[in-house]
Short mmCIF file of all heavy atoms in Angstrom, two decimals:
data_model
loop_
_atom_site.label_atom_id
_atom_site.label_comp_id
_atom_site.label_asym_id
_atom_site.label_seq_id
_atom_site.Cartn_x
_atom_site.Cartn_y
_atom_site.Cartn_z
N ALA A 118 41.85 161.17 82.71
CA ALA A 118 42.05 159.86 82.01
C ALA A 118 42.30 158.73 82.89
O ALA A 118 43.08 158.88 83.95
CB ALA A 118 43.17 160.06 81.02
N GLN A 119 41.93 157.46 82.65
CA GLN A 119 42.25 156.30 83.41
C GLN A 119 42.85 155.22 82.43
O GLN A 119 42.20 154.99 81.35
CB GLN A 119 41.13 155.77 84.10
CG GLN A 119 40.53 156.52 85.24
CD GLN A 119 39.54 155.79 86.14
OE1 GLN A 119 38.98 154.82 85.69
NE2 GLN A 119 39.20 156.43 87.31
N VAL A 120 44.00 154.58 82.82
CA VAL A 120 44.58 153.51 81.96
C VAL A 120 44.39 152.19 82.79
O VAL A 120 44.79 152.18 83.98
CB VAL A 120 46.17 153.83 81.62
CG1 VAL A 120 46.68 152.62 80.85
CG2 VAL A 120 46.08 155.05 80.95
N HIS A 121 43.86 151.26 82.15
CA HIS A 121 43.78 149.80 82.74
C HIS A 121 44.47 148.88 81.94
O HIS A 121 44.85 148.99 80.81
CB HIS A 121 42.27 149.48 82.76
CG HIS A 121 41.38 150.27 83.64
ND1 HIS A 121 41.12 149.89 84.99
CD2 HIS A 121 40.81 151.58 83.48
CE1 HIS A 121 40.23 150.89 85.43
NE2 HIS A 121 39.95 151.84 84.63
N VAL A 122 44.95 147.89 82.81
CA VAL A 122 45.64 146.58 82.13
C VAL A 122 44.87 145.39 82.51
O VAL A 122 44.25 145.42 83.65
CB VAL A 122 47.03 146.58 82.52
CG1 VAL A 122 47.92 147.74 82.11
CG2 VAL A 122 47.28 146.48 84.13
N PRO A 123 44.91 144.36 81.69
CA PRO A 123 44.28 143.10 82.16
C PRO A 123 44.71 142.54 83.43
O PRO A 123 45.81 142.72 83.87
CB PRO A 123 44.68 142.12 80.95
CG PRO A 123 45.09 143.03 79.93
CD PRO A 123 45.64 144.33 80.44
N GLY A 124 43.69 142.06 84.16
CA GLY A 124 44.04 141.43 85.62
C GLY A 124 43.80 142.41 86.55
O GLY A 124 43.70 142.17 87.82
N LEU A 125 43.70 143.75 86.31
CA LEU A 125 43.42 144.85 87.23
C LEU A 125 42.17 145.75 86.76
O LEU A 125 42.36 146.97 86.70
CB LEU A 125 44.72 145.77 87.45
CG LEU A 125 45.89 145.09 88.12
CD1 LEU A 125 47.08 146.15 88.19
CD2 LEU A 125 45.48 144.81 89.54
N ALA A 126 41.30 145.15 86.50
CA ALA A 126 39.99 145.93 85.89
C ALA A 126 39.39 146.77 86.88
O ALA A 126 38.99 147.82 86.64
CB ALA A 126 38.98 144.76 85.43
N ALA A 127 39.57 146.42 88.21
CA ALA A 127 38.90 147.30 89.17
C ALA A 127 39.86 148.46 89.68
O ALA A 127 39.43 149.39 90.35
CB ALA A 127 38.57 146.45 90.45
N VAL A 128 41.16 148.30 89.43
CA VAL A 128 42.29 149.19 89.95
C VAL A 128 42.86 149.80 88.67
O VAL A 128 43.65 149.07 87.94
CB VAL A 128 43.27 148.63 90.81
CG1 VAL A 128 44.20 149.77 91.43
CG2 VAL A 128 42.54 148.03 92.09
N PRO A 129 42.77 151.15 88.35
CA PRO A 129 43.50 151.70 87.29
C PRO A 129 45.03 151.57 87.49
O PRO A 129 45.46 151.92 88.59
CB PRO A 129 42.98 153.20 87.11
CG PRO A 129 41.80 153.23 88.03
CD PRO A 129 41.96 152.16 89.14
N LEU A 130 45.64 151.36 86.44
CA LEU A 130 47.10 151.45 86.45
C LEU A 130 47.60 152.93 86.74
O LEU A 130 48.46 153.07 87.64
CB LEU A 130 47.78 151.08 85.11
CG LEU A 130 49.24 151.18 84.85
CD1 LEU A 130 50.07 150.21 85.69
CD2 LEU A 130 49.61 151.00 83.42
N ILE A 131 46.92 153.84 86.05
CA ILE A 131 47.18 155.27 86.41
C ILE A 131 46.08 156.12 86.20
O ILE A 131 45.25 155.77 85.17
CB ILE A 131 48.41 155.80 85.60
CG1 ILE A 131 48.78 157.19 85.97
CG2 ILE A 131 48.17 155.64 84.08
CD1 ILE A 131 50.10 157.69 85.36
N THR A 132 45.80 157.12 86.99
CA THR A 132 44.75 158.08 86.74
C THR A 132 45.43 159.52 86.67
O THR A 132 46.24 159.84 87.68
CB THR A 132 43.74 158.03 87.91
OG1 THR A 132 43.22 156.71 88.00
CG2 THR A 132 42.65 158.97 87.69
N VAL A 133 45.15 160.26 85.81
CA VAL A 133 45.73 161.58 85.64
C VAL A 133 44.63 162.62 85.45
O VAL A 133 43.59 162.27 84.77
CB VAL A 133 46.70 161.77 84.53
CG1 VAL A 133 47.95 160.93 84.84
CG2 VAL A 133 45.99 161.43 83.12
N GLU A 134 44.64 163.88 86.07
CA GLU A 134 43.68 164.88 85.83
C GLU A 134 43.88 165.51 84.39
O GLU A 134 43.03 165.78 83.71
CB GLU A 134 43.67 165.98 86.87
CG GLU A 134 43.21 165.43 88.26
CD GLU A 134 43.08 166.48 89.21
OE1 GLU A 134 42.94 167.64 88.99
OE2 GLU A 134 43.30 166.09 90.52
N GLN A 135 45.20 165.92 84.18
CA GLN A 135 45.49 166.58 82.78
C GLN A 135 46.91 166.51 82.51
O GLN A 135 47.82 166.88 83.39
CB GLN A 135 45.02 168.00 82.75
CG GLN A 135 45.11 168.53 81.29
CD GLN A 135 44.61 170.09 81.18
OE1 GLN A 135 44.22 170.59 82.14
NE2 GLN A 135 44.54 170.43 79.87
N VAL A 136 47.34 166.07 81.28
CA VAL A 136 48.66 166.19 80.79
C VAL A 136 48.74 166.61 79.44
O VAL A 136 47.75 166.32 78.65
CB VAL A 136 49.45 164.86 80.86
CG1 VAL A 136 49.82 164.51 82.38
CG2 VAL A 136 48.60 163.77 80.31
N THR A 137 49.67 167.52 79.16
CA THR A 137 49.72 167.99 77.76
C THR A 137 51.19 168.07 77.25
O THR A 137 52.11 168.09 78.14
CB THR A 137 49.27 169.53 77.74
OG1 THR A 137 50.09 170.25 78.44
CG2 THR A 137 47.80 169.56 78.12
N SER A 138 51.47 167.92 76.00
CA SER A 138 52.66 167.88 75.42
C SER A 138 52.60 168.83 74.10
O SER A 138 51.63 168.71 73.33
CB SER A 138 53.40 166.59 75.09
OG SER A 138 53.67 165.91 76.32
N LYS A 139 53.83 169.47 73.81
CA LYS A 139 53.77 170.42 72.63
C LYS A 139 55.16 170.45 72.19
O LYS A 139 56.12 170.72 72.96
CB LYS A 139 53.30 171.81 72.88
CG LYS A 139 53.15 172.78 71.73
CD LYS A 139 52.65 173.99 72.14
CE LYS A 139 52.32 174.92 71.03
NZ LYS A 139 51.80 176.22 71.36
N ALA A 140 55.34 170.40 70.86
CA ALA A 140 56.78 170.39 70.19
C ALA A 140 56.58 171.28 68.86
O ALA A 140 55.64 171.13 68.23
CB ALA A 140 57.25 169.04 69.75
N VAL A 141 57.35 172.39 68.90
CA VAL A 141 57.42 173.40 67.79
C VAL A 141 58.71 173.43 67.24
O VAL A 141 59.71 173.74 67.79
CB VAL A 141 56.93 174.83 68.29
CG1 VAL A 141 56.85 175.81 67.19
CG2 VAL A 141 55.55 174.65 69.06
N CYS A 142 58.62 173.36 65.85
CA CYS A 142 59.88 173.61 65.10
C CYS A 142 59.59 174.62 63.87
O CYS A 142 58.82 174.28 63.07
CB CYS A 142 60.33 172.31 64.42
SG CYS A 142 60.73 170.95 65.65
N ALA A 143 60.26 175.70 63.91
CA ALA A 143 60.07 176.78 62.85
C ALA A 143 61.39 177.01 62.16
O ALA A 143 62.44 176.98 62.85
CB ALA A 143 59.46 177.97 63.65
N VAL A 144 61.20 177.57 61.01
CA VAL A 144 62.40 177.84 60.22
C VAL A 144 63.26 179.03 60.84
O VAL A 144 62.58 180.09 61.27
CB VAL A 144 62.02 178.31 58.77
CG1 VAL A 144 63.24 178.85 58.02
CG2 VAL A 144 61.40 177.17 58.00
N GLY A 145 64.47 178.88 61.10
CA GLY A 145 65.31 179.93 61.62
C GLY A 145 65.19 180.03 63.09
O GLY A 145 65.87 180.93 63.62
N LYS A 146 64.52 179.12 63.82
CA LYS A 146 64.48 179.24 65.25
C LYS A 146 64.75 177.85 65.81
O LYS A 146 64.74 176.76 65.18
CB LYS A 146 62.97 179.51 65.76
CG LYS A 146 62.66 180.89 65.21
CD LYS A 146 61.20 181.32 65.76
CE LYS A 146 60.69 182.80 65.26
NZ LYS A 146 59.38 182.98 65.79
N ARG A 147 65.28 177.84 67.07
CA ARG A 147 65.58 176.74 67.81
C ARG A 147 64.26 175.91 68.23
O ARG A 147 63.40 176.54 68.75
CB ARG A 147 66.30 177.04 69.16
CG ARG A 147 66.66 175.82 69.98
CD ARG A 147 67.96 175.04 69.47
NE ARG A 147 68.33 173.90 70.35
CZ ARG A 147 69.34 173.17 70.06
NH1 ARG A 147 70.09 173.52 69.07
NH2 ARG A 147 69.71 172.18 70.97
N PRO A 148 64.31 174.63 67.90
CA PRO A 148 62.99 173.89 68.18
C PRO A 148 62.75 173.85 69.73
O PRO A 148 63.76 173.97 70.59
CB PRO A 148 63.33 172.51 67.73
CG PRO A 148 64.36 172.76 66.58
CD PRO A 148 65.24 173.88 67.14
N THR A 149 61.50 173.78 70.14
CA THR A 149 61.17 173.74 71.57
C THR A 149 60.24 172.59 71.86
O THR A 149 59.38 172.24 70.97
CB THR A 149 60.43 175.03 71.94
OG1 THR A 149 59.13 175.19 71.16
CG2 THR A 149 61.36 176.25 71.70
N ALA A 150 60.25 172.07 73.08
CA ALA A 150 59.41 170.98 73.46
C ALA A 150 59.09 171.18 74.96
O ALA A 150 59.99 171.46 75.89
CB ALA A 150 60.26 169.61 73.42
N HIS A 151 57.81 171.13 75.27
CA HIS A 151 57.18 171.30 76.63
C HIS A 151 56.22 170.27 76.94
O HIS A 151 55.42 169.85 76.11
CB HIS A 151 56.58 172.71 76.81
CG HIS A 151 57.66 173.84 76.49
ND1 HIS A 151 58.54 174.21 77.24
CD2 HIS A 151 57.67 174.64 75.28
CE1 HIS A 151 59.21 175.20 76.64
NE2 HIS A 151 58.78 175.46 75.57
N SER A 152 56.29 169.86 78.28
CA SER A 152 55.14 168.92 78.78
C SER A 152 54.73 169.44 80.07
O SER A 152 55.47 169.99 80.79
CB SER A 152 55.63 167.51 78.95
OG SER A 152 55.75 166.81 77.69
N ASN A 153 53.44 169.36 80.36
CA ASN A 153 52.85 169.83 81.57
C ASN A 153 51.95 168.74 82.26
O ASN A 153 51.06 168.08 81.57
CB ASN A 153 52.01 171.21 81.43
CG ASN A 153 52.81 172.30 81.04
OD1 ASN A 153 53.98 172.51 81.62
ND2 ASN A 153 52.48 173.12 79.96
N LEU A 154 52.08 168.72 83.57
CA LEU A 154 51.16 167.87 84.38
C LEU A 154 50.43 168.81 85.24
O LEU A 154 50.89 169.53 86.03
CB LEU A 154 51.97 166.91 85.17
CG LEU A 154 51.31 166.10 86.24
CD1 LEU A 154 50.29 165.13 85.49
CD2 LEU A 154 52.18 165.28 87.03
N LEU A 155 49.13 168.78 85.05
CA LEU A 155 48.19 169.53 85.93
C LEU A 155 47.36 168.77 86.68
O LEU A 155 46.56 167.91 86.19
CB LEU A 155 47.44 170.48 84.99
CG LEU A 155 48.09 171.32 83.90
CD1 LEU A 155 47.30 171.99 82.96
CD2 LEU A 155 49.09 172.37 84.71
N GLY A 156 47.27 169.01 87.97
CA GLY A 156 46.48 168.24 88.86
C GLY A 156 47.19 166.96 89.37
O GLY A 156 48.45 166.79 89.31
N GLY A 157 46.40 166.01 90.04
CA GLY A 157 46.95 164.97 90.75
C GLY A 157 47.20 163.74 89.81
O GLY A 157 46.67 163.70 88.72
N VAL A 158 47.87 162.75 90.39
CA VAL A 158 48.26 161.58 89.80
C VAL A 158 48.05 160.40 90.65
O VAL A 158 48.59 160.56 91.78
CB VAL A 158 49.54 161.46 89.12
CG1 VAL A 158 49.92 160.10 88.43
CG2 VAL A 158 49.71 162.50 87.91
N SER A 159 47.42 159.27 90.31
CA SER A 159 47.29 158.00 91.18
C SER A 159 47.92 156.82 90.34
O SER A 159 47.46 156.77 89.16
CB SER A 159 45.86 157.90 91.59
OG SER A 159 45.29 158.83 92.39
N VAL A 160 48.66 156.11 91.02
CA VAL A 160 49.24 154.97 90.46
C VAL A 160 48.74 153.70 91.28
O VAL A 160 49.03 153.65 92.52
CB VAL A 160 50.70 154.98 90.29
CG1 VAL A 160 51.32 153.65 89.70
CG2 VAL A 160 51.13 156.17 89.49
N LEU A 161 48.10 152.77 90.60
CA LEU A 161 47.65 151.59 91.34
C LEU A 161 46.85 151.80 92.46
O LEU A 161 46.90 151.19 93.65
CB LEU A 161 48.75 150.55 91.67
CG LEU A 161 49.54 150.07 90.54
CD1 LEU A 161 50.86 149.23 91.04
CD2 LEU A 161 48.78 149.16 89.60
N GLY A 162 46.07 152.96 92.37
CA GLY A 162 45.19 153.38 93.47
C GLY A 162 45.73 154.17 94.48
O GLY A 162 45.02 154.59 95.48
N GLN A 163 47.05 154.55 94.40
CA GLN A 163 47.68 155.37 95.33
C GLN A 163 48.11 156.73 94.82
O GLN A 163 48.67 156.77 93.61
CB GLN A 163 48.90 154.68 96.01
CG GLN A 163 48.78 153.48 96.70
CD GLN A 163 50.11 152.77 97.37
OE1 GLN A 163 51.10 153.60 97.20
NE2 GLN A 163 49.90 151.77 97.93
N LYS A 164 47.72 157.76 95.43
CA LYS A 164 48.26 159.12 95.02
C LYS A 164 49.66 159.20 95.25
O LYS A 164 50.34 158.89 96.13
CB LYS A 164 47.56 160.29 95.86
CG LYS A 164 46.06 160.43 95.52
CD LYS A 164 45.48 161.63 96.09
CE LYS A 164 44.15 161.98 95.78
NZ LYS A 164 44.01 162.47 94.51
N VAL A 165 50.36 159.84 94.17
CA VAL A 165 51.75 159.88 94.13
C VAL A 165 52.23 161.31 93.74
O VAL A 165 51.45 162.04 93.22
CB VAL A 165 52.48 158.94 93.15
CG1 VAL A 165 52.21 157.61 93.54
CG2 VAL A 165 52.06 159.25 91.75
N THR A 166 53.31 161.83 94.32
CA THR A 166 54.02 163.02 93.97
C THR A 166 55.21 162.78 93.10
O THR A 166 56.13 162.10 93.39
CB THR A 166 54.49 163.78 95.23
OG1 THR A 166 53.38 164.01 96.18
CG2 THR A 166 55.01 165.13 94.97
N LEU A 167 55.06 163.36 91.88
CA LEU A 167 56.12 163.07 91.00
C LEU A 167 57.21 163.98 90.98
O LEU A 167 57.01 165.29 91.30
CB LEU A 167 55.56 163.12 89.46
CG LEU A 167 54.41 161.99 89.18
CD1 LEU A 167 53.92 162.14 87.74
CD2 LEU A 167 54.90 160.55 89.36
#
Side-chain angles (χ1 to χ4, degrees):
Q119 290 187 353
V120 178
H121 292 263
V122 294
L125 289 176
V128 181
L130 173 67
I131 186 170
T132 301
V133 297
E134 290 188 25
Q135 184 176 9
V136 287
T137 63
S138 289
K139 185 177 182 179
V141 179
C142 299
V144 172
K146 297 182 180 180
R147 179 79 180 180
T149 60
H151 302 284
S152 289
N153 291 312
L154 173 64
L155 306 174
V158 175
S159 296
V160 177
L161 298 177
Q163 295 186 4
K164 285 187 174 291
V165 297
T166 301
L167 299 179

